[in-house]
Amino acid sequence: MMSIFWVNLLTFLGLNIDTFTVLLLLIGHTNLRSVLIGYCTANMVIWGAGVLIGRILVSYFPSWITGFLGIILLGLALFSSSRNSALPNRSSSIPWWAIFWLCLSLSGDNLAAYIPLANNLTPLLFVSLTVVYFFVTVLLVLLGRQILKVGVLTRLIEHLGPYSTRGVYFLAGIYVIIKSGLFPHLMHLMS
């Protein structure tokens, strides 16, 4: 049971490195509460969904479907209001739901890892991992906040200016679409 716990924990940390890197661009320029709520909610939804469908839909749930979450991010990048085109100041924070969709889109491909791991979980292990994942998520956000106290990193992030938020959304959307294999699969279905 302990080895399954550690495998799941290390998998969780490894799968969330990309999202953590993206969050570094947002943590210093938006309300910490929005980041915590958005990131924690997205991680818990993905984890819960992975466990829920793990035993039921393993053979029916294609991994390419997560590419549709990347399309949501492209929409945020291309059609968001001009107010969101720059890193916001503390008074015009990015709403938690936008951070939720960003993190959900980046983490959507984590289902491919969570679904097979969920098959070996007991109810007690599921609850234990859920609590641990929640606290690790909070710690990652707080760690990111501390990293940003290093002046060089803060100036670099501020220098990214008006393009960073839209750029993050756009690149994350492209990344999720490519990594999921959405377009090749859709092309295969159309032919």
Side-chain angles (χ1 to χ4, degrees):
M1 184 164 128
M2 275 313 257
S3 65
I4 294 172
F5 177 85
W6 288 110
V7 166
N8 277 278
L9 181 60
L10 290 174
T11 300
F12 178 82
L13 288 171
L15 291 172
N16 282 285
I17 289 173
D18 56 344
T19 307
F20 176 74
T21 304
V22 170
L23 285 177
L24 284 176
L25 295 171
L26 302 175
I27 290 171
H29 295 280
T30 193
N31 182 321
L32 186 64
R33 183 172 179 250
S34 291
V35 176
L36 283 169
I37 292 171
Y39 191 33
C40 287
T41 305
N43 273 340
M44 295 302 105
V45 166
I46 289 294
W47 170 242
V51 171
L52 180 65
I53 65 176
R55 291 181 172 233
I56 300 170
L57 299 176
V58 169
S59 62
Y60 301 109
F61 190 76
S63 61
W64 59 267
I65 209 85
T66 60
F68 287 108
L69 295 171
I71 294 172
I72 293 170
L73 282 178
L74 291 178
L76 285 170
L78 299 173
F79 303 111
S80 63
S81 68
S82 61
R83 180 175 86 79
N84 290 334
S85 63
L87 288 173
N89 58 36
R90 298 263 183 224
S91 64
S92 63
S93 181
I94 298 171
W96 75 267
W97 55 265
I99 295 170
F100 167 77
W101 282 113
L102 171 68
C103 294
L104 191 68
S105 295
L106 288 170
S107 300
D109 57 341
N110 294 3
L111 282 173
Y114 291 156
I115 290 171
L117 291 174
N119 288 330
N120 299 322
L121 295 182
T122 64
L124 176 62
L125 189 54
F126 167 72
V127 171
S128 300
L129 283 169
T130 302
V131 170
V132 170
Y133 286 1
F134 178 81
F135 284 111
V136 168
T137 301
V138 170
L139 289 174
L140 285 173
V141 172
L142 296 176
L143 175 66
R145 189 174 185 198
Q146 294 304 314
I147 288 171
L148 290 175
K149 290 184 178 179
V150 177
V152 174
L153 293 176
T154 303
R155 285 190 297 279
L156 176 65
I157 291 169
E158 287 177 1
H159 180 68
L160 295 173
Y163 305 106
S164 59
T165 300
R166 284 185 182 218
V168 166
Y169 287 150
F170 184 79
L171 292 173
I174 296 294
Y175 170 78
V176 168
I177 290 169
I178 290 171
K179 189 171 181 183
S180 71
L182 175 65
F183 288 136
H185 188 76
L186 292 177
M187 296 302 281
H188 176 70
L189 288 176
M190 294 175 146
S191 61

